[in-house]
Amino acid sequence: MNYWLMKSEPDVFGIDDLEQRPNQTEPWDGVRNYQARNMMRDEMQVGDLAFFYHSNCTVPGIVGIMEITKAGYPDPTQFDPEGKYFDPKSDPDNPRWYLVDVTFKRRLSRTITLAELKERPELEGFPLIRRGNRLSVMPVAKEHWDFILSLE
DNA sequence: GCCAACGTTGGC
DNA sequence: GCCAACGTTGGC
């Protein structure tokens, strides 16, 4: 089993939104980055756990945990000409973008902030705190996962 | 709102 | 295949 971190802007889709969805489950659509795409398409498996990270907000940080409940499949929003995620260059016979379904597991007892994570020498090498990192989906090493949870 | 960092696009 | 221009991300 693998561990992940997935970013979302709480103004667009936050942990509250996930918790309130039917079955507390949501397709993680709209990712348009090849590295993130590859991880969702090729590496994420049902049962994997992921941190829910709030980005682009007052206090960026990890707010909860979700589970991957459906492995990679084509992101339907790429074929919707009316939608903001439409990609006219994507061929339905060879879709360009993939997603996974995620299900709410639990909220953390507090937000573990980005500022705090950056201060921790134990998290050396964690992609989230590498300078200039912009990946919206990234792997989390088990030791980093456990350490972050120990801060809760 | 600013802007650094980075990815993508497209001309050549 | 290079690289300048442009767009996006996301912290601050």
Side-chain angles (χ1 to χ4, degrees):
Chain A
M1 153 153 122
N2 292 308
Y3 298 95
W4 307 93
L5 178 143
M6 301 169 85
K7 297 181 184 174
S8 184
E9 302 186 19
D11 291 346
V12 179
F13 186 83
I15 186 109
D16 295 340
D17 299 299
L18 180 62
E19 190 173 14
Q20 287 158 22
R21 277 290 190 270
N23 300 318
Q24 299 188 314
T25 296
E26 180 76 359
W28 200 261
D29 59 18
V31 173
R32 297 293 181 265
N33 168 282
Y34 288 104
Q35 261 183 282
R37 186 276 313 265
N38 291 346
M39 287 186 269
M40 292 200 289
R41 186 188 59 187
D42 305 331
E43 296 181 43
M44 284 191 180
Q45 294 179 0
V46 171
D48 285 359
L49 297 177
F51 285 134
F52 196 126
Y53 178 88
H54 279 175
S55 68
N56 208 10
C57 55
T58 315
V59 184
I62 295 168
V63 295
I65 296 176
M66 48 199 178
E67 181 177 351
I68 309 306
T69 46
K70 186 172 178 183
Y73 64 100
D75 180 346
T77 65
Q78 68 195 304
F79 302 122
D80 174 12
E82 308 301 318
K84 65 181 277 204
Y85 296 124
F86 180 57
D87 183 351
K89 294 185 194 160
S90 184
D91 174 2
D93 292 329
N94 184 21
R96 181 179 291 195
W97 306 112
Y98 281 69
L99 49 64
V100 296
D101 285 357
V102 298
T103 300
F104 178 87
K105 286 283 278 189
R106 72 177 178 92
R107 195 181 294 270
L108 297 192
S109 57
R110 65 181 189 88
T111 299
I112 300 178
T113 67
L114 175 63
E116 192 178 349
L117 296 171
K118 281 179 168 171
E119 285 175 359
R120 292 298 189 154
E122 294 89 342
L123 295 176
E124 182 90 30
F126 184 31
L128 181 72
I129 57 178
R130 270 210 292 268
R131 197 168 134 262
N133 166 68
R134 295 189 336 191
L135 266 184
S136 64
V137 174
M138 69 188 72
V140 181
K142 172 151 177 54
E143 53 269 33
H144 290 163
W145 177 276
D146 292 341
F147 176 73
I148 291 165
L149 283 181
S150 79
L151 300 174
E152 188 181 359

